[in-house]
Amino acid sequence: ICFFVRSPKGFPKLKNDTFLRAARGEETEHTPVWCMRQAGRYLPEFRETRAAQDFFATCRSPKLCCELTLQPLRRFPLDAAIIFSDILVVPQALGMEVVMVPGKGPTFTEPLKEVEDLLKLRQKVDVTAELGYVFQAITLTRHSLEGRVPLIGFSGAPWTLMSYMIEGGGSTTMAKAKSWLYRHPEASHRLLRLLADVVTDYLVGQVAAGAQALQLFESHAGHLGPEQFQDFALPYIRDISQAVKSKLKEEALPLVPMIIFAKDAHYALRDLARAGYEVVGLDWTIQPQEARAQTGKDVTLQGNLDPCALYAPKEKIGELVKKMLEGFGTQRYIANLGHGLYPDMNPEHVGAFVEAVHAHSRHINKH
C-alpha cells in the first residue's frame, strides 16, 4: 500500500460518478445521496467490528478503516463513500494526546490552557509520517471499492479543531475556546494558521492517496457570531481551499471537488458560497429556497434533512425527501442529512431515505 502514498496509479475505473458530476454542477439522472456518519454505530456490523478495539487504534488501522467505510455500501445504494476516520487525528499529529472515553466522547489529556502551551505543539508536521495511516486507509479503500462509487476524504476546519484543543472535549458553550478569541487574538491566529497549514497538507495527501472529493467540517461554526466567524473561521476556510487547489496543481494531482460544511452558520452562507468550494453543505435549520437565494447559481448545495426525521415511519421519510427535493431542485444538489446519523437509528430507515432520494429525483427529472 505504501507505494501509492504519493502517486496512486492503477485505481479501478469509476462506475458511478453521479456524486462527482453533481459536485461539479453537471447534469445528473438522479440526485446523488450519501450520509454524514454513514459508517457508524447505527450498524450492528460496525459495532461488531469495533467491539474489541480502542477507537483511535481503529482509526490507525487501514484495514479496519477500509472495512468500516465499505459496510454501509454493502447495505445501501449510496452514491459516495467517506473514509472512516476522525477530525481529531490532526491535533494528535500536532503532538496532543486524545483518548475516547466511553459515555463521554473524545477527551484531551492535556488541553491548551495558556498561550505558552502553544509551544508544546509541533510547529512543523510531516503529515506522511504522522497521518500516513489515513493515507494508507484511503488507498486500500479506493482499491477495495472497485470503482463502485467515489471516495470522500475529510478534515476538521481550524476553528473547530482549536475549540476541541482548548475545551479538551465537547462543550455546550465553547466558553474556554471563545475566551481565547477575545483575550488572546494574536495567539488564536497563530494556532489557527498552524492548523490551516497542517490541514492543507493533510487534504493534499488524501488526494495523492486516492480521495476523489474532500469535505471540510466546521462543525462548531454555530458557536461563533458573524463577527468572530469573519475574523477567526472564514479566512482559514478560504485559505485552505486556495492552498489545496494550488498544491494539487503543483503536484499534478487531480483537482477534486471540495465541500465546506459549516454547521449553524446561516449568517455566512453568502461568504461560504464564495470561499472557493464547489459544494456548500447545509444543516437542517435553513429552508432550501433561502439557501439557494443566498448561495447563487455557481455552487452545488448538499443537505439537509433533519437527522431526527429518520425516526419517522418510512412513508413519512419518503414525503419529507420529496419535499426537500422540490425545495432544492434535483440538479446542482447532493442529498444528505443536516448532520450525522445517530447511533440509535434504524438501518432500514436509512435505506428508506437513500431509496426515496433516488426514486423521487428520477421521477421529478422525468416530469
Side-chain angles (χ1 to χ4, degrees):
I1 293 162
C2 300
F3 303 123
F4 294 109
V5 164
R6 283 322 286 172
S7 60
K9 296 283 179 285
F11 283 128
K13 192 175 177 327
L14 187 58
K15 298 169 192 149
N16 171 4
D17 66 349
T18 315
F19 164 81
L20 294 178
R21 279 188 289 136
R24 293 192 207 103
E26 296 163 20
E27 204 169 311
T28 59
E29 301 72 53
H30 68 265
T31 297
V33 55
W34 67 281
C35 298
M36 290 184 269
R37 293 208 202 113
Q38 64 190 25
R41 286 175 293 173
Y42 73 101
L43 291 176
E45 57 269 38
F46 177 97
R47 293 196 296 272
E48 216 168 285
T49 309
R50 277 265 303 105
Q53 280 276 5
D54 165 72
F55 178 80
F56 286 107
T58 304
C59 290
R60 284 188 286 274
S61 160
K63 205 170 149 220
L64 284 176
C65 289
C66 175
E67 167 57 24
L68 294 170
T69 303
L70 295 176
Q71 284 176 352
L73 294 157
R74 295 188 190 121
R75 278 186 183 249
F76 316 119
L78 294 152
D79 293 288
I82 183 165
I83 194 67
F84 177 80
S85 185
D86 194 86
I87 63 170
L88 298 181
V89 299
V90 172
Q92 287 176 334
L94 288 166
M96 295 188 81
E97 193 189 356
V98 192
V99 293
M100 194 57 81
V101 178
K104 190 183 171 196
T107 305
F108 286 73
T109 50
E110 289 181 41
L112 304 173
K113 290 196 169 80
E114 303 301 329
V115 170
E116 297 75 58
D117 292 342
L118 294 182
L119 299 171
K120 296 179 192 166
L121 300 174
R122 283 192 188 105
Q123 301 305 306
K124 274 271 169 264
V125 175
D126 174 346
V127 292
T128 308
E130 298 299 330
L131 296 165
Y133 59 88
V134 179
F135 303 155
Q136 289 173 27
I138 287 172
T139 303
L140 178 61
T141 306
R142 174 89 186 263
H143 282 290
S144 305
L145 277 166
E146 297 176 332
R148 204 176 332 168
V149 293
L151 179 61
I152 305 168
F154 71 90
S155 173
W159 155 248
T160 294
L161 296 173
M162 171 183 170
S163 63
Y164 272 115
M165 290 159 76
I166 294 170
E167 295 290 340
S171 157
T172 50
T173 60
M174 295 294 156
K176 289 178 193 162
K178 286 178 72 178
S179 81
W180 271 54
L181 306 182
Y182 287 108
R183 286 163 50 225
H184 313 302
E186 291 82 10
S188 296
H189 280 298
R190 221 166 50 234
L191 174 54
L192 291 162
R193 168 52 46 212
L194 173 62
L195 285 163
D197 292 345
V198 176
V199 167
T200 297
D201 289 345
Y202 180 42
L203 290 173
V204 171
Q206 291 185 45
V207 176
Q212 291 152 290
L214 297 169
Q215 177 152 313
L216 190 67
F217 283 89
E218 190 68 282
S219 312
H220 294 168
H223 290 280
L224 300 177
E227 275 179 36
Q228 283 189 314
F229 189 84
Q230 286 286 342
D231 286 350
F232 296 101
L234 188 63
Y236 300 99
I237 287 170
R238 280 198 192 114
D239 286 359
I240 287 166
S241 72
Q242 285 165 356
V244 166
K245 288 182 160 128
S246 70
K247 286 196 175 192
L248 292 175
K249 273 189 192 136
E250 267 166 44
E251 298 189 24
L253 289 164
L255 277 175
V256 303
M258 294 178 72
I259 306 163
I260 176 66
F261 176 64
K263 189 171 179 296
D264 296 322
H266 340 116
Y267 54 76
L269 277 183
R270 279 171 208 279
D271 290 322
L272 290 167
R274 294 175 185 79
Y277 293 76
E278 286 69 26
V279 183
V280 175
L282 304 164
D283 61 69
W284 68 91
T285 61
I286 186 149
Q287 294 280 7
Q289 295 84 346
E290 174 65 14
R292 281 274 183 221
Q294 291 207 38
T295 53
K297 293 187 172 63
D298 299 328
V299 296
T300 293
L301 294 179
Q302 174 179 284
N304 75 338
L305 191 72
D306 179 355
C308 291
L310 297 191
Y311 294 122
K314 289 187 202 169
E315 312 70 65
K316 179 70 177 163
I317 294 170
E319 286 165 33
L320 293 166
V321 165
K322 182 170 181 273
K323 192 175 168 208
M324 180 171 82
L325 286 161
E326 285 163 355
F328 282 109
T330 59
Q331 301 299 319
R332 259 206 180 283
Y333 175 54
I334 296 161
N336 204 317
L337 303 171
H339 200 222
L341 287 160
Y342 302 146
D344 64 346
M345 286 180 162
N346 182 340
E348 286 185 19
H349 288 223
V350 178
F353 167 67
V354 173
E355 280 154 28
V357 171
H358 287 161
H360 287 299
S361 61
R362 282 200 175 97
H363 181 82
I364 294 169
N365 284 345
K366 272 204 188 96
H367 299 86

